[in-house]
Amino acid sequence: MTQLISRRTLLMTGAAAGSIAALPAFARAPDDAGTRLAALFDAMFQDQLERNPEGATQLGLDKGANAGLRAKMSDQGEAGRAAARATTQAELEQLAAIDRTALSAGDRVNYDTVRYTRESAARVQTFDFGGSAYGPSPYVISQQSGAYQSVPNFLDTKHPIGTASDADAYLARLAAFGDQLEANTDRLRHDVGAGVLPPDFLLDKTLTQMRALRVPADQALVVTSIARRAKARGLDDRYGADAAKIYAERVLPALDRQIAAVESVRAVATHDAGVWKFRQGDAYYAVALANTTTTRLSPEEVHRFGLDQAKLIGDRMNALMVKAGMTKGSVGARLAAIYELPGQIFPNTDAGKAAAIDYCNGRLAAIRKELPRVFKRMPPYQFEVRRVPKDIEAGAASAFSQAPAIDGSRPGLVYFNLQDSAEWPKFMLDTVIYHEGLPGHQFEGGLALSNTGLPLIRKTGGFSGYGEGWALYAEQLADELGMYEGDPLGQIGYLKEALFRAHRCIIDTGLHHYKWSREKAMALFIDGQGEAPGFAEREIDRYCGSPGQACSYKLGHATFVTLRAKAEKALGAKYDIKDFHEAVLGSGRVPLEILEQVGNEWIAARAVA
């Protein structure tokens, strides 16, 4: 899965249309609709940066005229939430004032895509509770949401320390971290008053992480990070002491109050896993499902899709296992047996986990050499694999990706959660590298960020259905490129991940629509695909905190492969996989329904060319 900043060439029906859309604003008539749209996009993007300074830093855009943003943090209090709602409505009105019919084909894609994001945000904002994780979350604080678990890693890995000004900005942000903690705690109390509180098991993990974070100043990451990096830059040694003072006076008291608040909520929490238990739960799930998958499918339709896909993938996997001589037991039991084979598990030590990361970086380098066979362009960024920081392992996703800085000053990062090495046998690692790294998230995201034909608001936005669908398609593409030749277990691992995504559609709708228990959901992962209990637990807990998002992978994958099959059939000898990839990636990240539209237009135009 991917974690993006605020989330996000052009697919055209012909080269001439593409060249028109790519014209800079000064080449257009001064008052034409395209110019007004470009100006509106610039204003919207600038407002987005100012309301989300952390995103500006992650993109590497907190410099020049935006240098002041490096010392700021987003307002997570009621004023910030109100401003976000007001901005959404204002931007929808501004978009409505532009004549869409007067736009070029490329600008219509841009217009439709950005308008979709604001309409979707408006639907989420009608619910006066929750926060965000890998999409809208009903919980402002959980094992995967809240400033307590995101800010320390952000300050350590994203905030640069190159000058005294950078270090001063870090201290300002550290103080603001305390304000964000207080705002999250206030919102938690508000939401609990409305009957919206996480299940007991999520709160247990949240408290585990919070208590691990609550350490003396000389052990706190937010203190040791600036002290270490300022010293390396030869800066004044006061920065460590100043950070310790801010931590003790602003952060620790706020964290203590938050821990106390979460403990009080834990005392009254239930074990019910899904959002169906809330007064607005069914309506919230429908909105969250649409927001993350960018489809109009009902929970019942998604559930049935998952069941059908699981059957197809399971049958294919069974055939491979039989061919490999694995004939005894269910598919899940045979998958679990692979974990026990010699050489599959890296030692559960720091050295063993470092070896696993080295292996992953080697696979990333290996597939990069093969990609010119099926792609016309390569992203101009560096990419690497890292381990999830120890202090957030308990609640972090099993694997995720973070985009590079837009100027290339920071590489794209793929993280593996190695809390227990036994959860990541070697036969599973390759396909996840292809999903999170190349040609998955980092490849697709790198092409979007470097695409000069897209406005910034499109480059840096994103949709789970598109992004996760592409990344799952990338796993299939790696198989087609021969990355598993001579490695039957690796190919089984690839299919296991595909089955995993089909099961997600079943489980997510099961939890939030069909009122499944956490234990029933975990059993499908453990019995149906041989997962380690710890892995299954962490995944299920993620779906509880991010309703709907887990369904986006397989639904998005189905859209890409359906479009490709349609293009192959319609174009015949004219079909070229490089052209197809350029088309579906060149449009930038779009909702799945818009992807279908632009894909069909490309096929029609190519057929008559």
Side-chain angles (χ1 to χ4, degrees), residues 206-220:
T206 301
L207 286 168
T208 295
Q209 293 183 165
M210 286 180 170
R211 290 164 181 158
L213 184 67
R214 198 214 176 284
V215 294
D218 62 351
Q219 299 174 31

Side-chain angles (χ1 to χ4, degrees), residues 431-563:
T431 197
V432 181
I433 285 297
Y434 307 145
H435 178 104
E436 301 289 351
L438 306 175
H441 287 313
Q442 295 294 347
F443 186 93
E444 175 267 315
L447 287 183
L449 287 175
S450 60
N451 188 341
T452 58
L454 293 176
L456 272 171
I457 200 168
R458 293 270 340 270
K459 289 184 181 187
T460 58
F463 302 91
S464 188
Y466 180 96
E468 301 299 354
W470 172 265
L472 188 50
Y473 170 74
E475 296 182 47
Q476 173 183 322
L477 195 61
D479 183 38
E480 295 169 350
L481 284 169
M483 297 305 293
Y484 299 114
E485 286 184 8
D487 182 16
L489 292 183
Q491 189 172 45
I492 290 172
Y494 147 60
L495 289 175
K496 180 176 180 291
E497 284 295 279
L499 180 64
F500 174 43
R501 275 43 178 266
H503 281 160
R504 279 177 162 178
C505 292
I506 302 167
I507 288 171
D508 195 273
T509 52
L511 288 165
H512 297 294
H513 182 70
Y514 291 107
K515 302 183 181 180
W516 283 19
S517 68
R518 181 200 199 200
E519 290 70 26
K520 180 175 180 177
M522 286 177 58
L524 180 55
F525 274 159
I526 295 169
D527 300 335
Q529 59 185 57
E531 295 295 359
F535 181 96
E537 177 184 294
R538 192 164 55 248
E539 283 294 313
I540 298 308
D541 292 353
R542 171 184 152 191
Y543 314 154
C544 292
S546 297
Q549 194 270 340
C551 302
S552 60
Y553 298 70
K554 202 69 185 71
L555 292 171
H557 172 262
T559 303
F560 279 105
V561 297
T562 299
L563 275 175

Side-chain angles (χ1 to χ4, degrees), residues 261-298:
V262 174
E263 288 173 338
S264 69
V265 175
R266 173 63 182 85
V268 297
T270 71
H271 197 65
D272 293 329
V275 296
W276 57 264
K277 62 186 176 181
F278 306 140
R279 181 171 57 85
Q280 296 177 286
D282 289 343
Y284 182 86
Y285 185 54
V287 167
L289 189 63
N291 176 280
T292 54
T293 68
T294 61
T295 71
R296 303 184 189 191
L297 297 175
S298 68

Side-chain angles (χ1 to χ4, degrees), residues 78-291:
E78 292 311 301
R81 295 172 71 93
R85 290 192 296 270
T87 297
T88 298
Q89 294 304 317
E91 289 175 346
L92 282 170
E93 292 174 6
Q94 292 168 321
L95 286 164
I98 290 178
D99 182 2
R100 182 186 180 280
T101 63
L103 296 171
S104 68
D107 277 341
R108 285 198 297 273
V109 173
N110 291 333
Y111 178 94
D112 291 344
T113 301
V114 173
R115 181 163 185 160
Y116 188 102
T117 66
R118 273 42 182 184
E119 290 173 342
S120 186
R123 288 189 288 270
V124 173
Q125 289 166 353
T126 61
F127 298 95
D128 189 26
F129 59 81
S132 63
Y134 303 114
S137 173
Y139 312 123
V140 68
I141 297 173
S142 72
Q143 88 286 8
Q144 63 186 23
S145 59
Y148 87 92
Q149 59 84 45
S150 64
V151 172
N153 182 256
F154 165 76
L155 288 176
D156 180 48
T157 64
K158 306 301 184 299
H159 184 104
I161 301 290
T163 66
S165 177
D166 293 338
D168 289 334
Y170 183 107
L171 295 178
R173 279 181 155 167
L174 181 58
F177 176 30
D179 297 335
Q180 289 188 335
L181 289 170
E182 297 285 14
N184 288 172
T185 302
D186 289 344
R187 172 49 56 164
L188 173 68
R189 295 191 180 103
H190 168 277
D191 291 355
V192 170
V196 178
L197 61 162
D200 53 10
F201 52 88
L202 293 193
L203 291 169
D204 287 339
K205 285 192 172 179
T206 301
L207 286 168
T208 295
Q209 293 183 165
M210 286 180 170
R211 290 164 181 158
L213 184 67
R214 198 214 176 284
V215 294
D218 62 351
Q219 299 174 31
L221 177 63
V222 292
V223 175
T224 60
S225 176
I226 188 173
R228 180 188 73 253
R229 292 190 288 152
K231 181 179 180 180
R233 288 290 185 173
L235 301 177
D236 195 313
D237 60 9
R238 70 177 176 85
Y239 286 109
D242 288 351
K245 186 172 187 295
I246 294 170
Y247 177 79
E249 295 179 355
R250 299 284 295 273
V251 176
L252 262 186
L255 182 59
D256 284 341
R257 284 189 284 272
Q258 189 164 108
I259 290 173
V262 174
E263 288 173 338
S264 69
V265 175
R266 173 63 182 85
V268 297
T270 71
H271 197 65
D272 293 329
V275 296
W276 57 264
K277 62 186 176 181
F278 306 140
R279 181 171 57 85
Q280 296 177 286
D282 289 343
Y284 182 86
Y285 185 54
V287 167
L289 189 63
N291 176 280

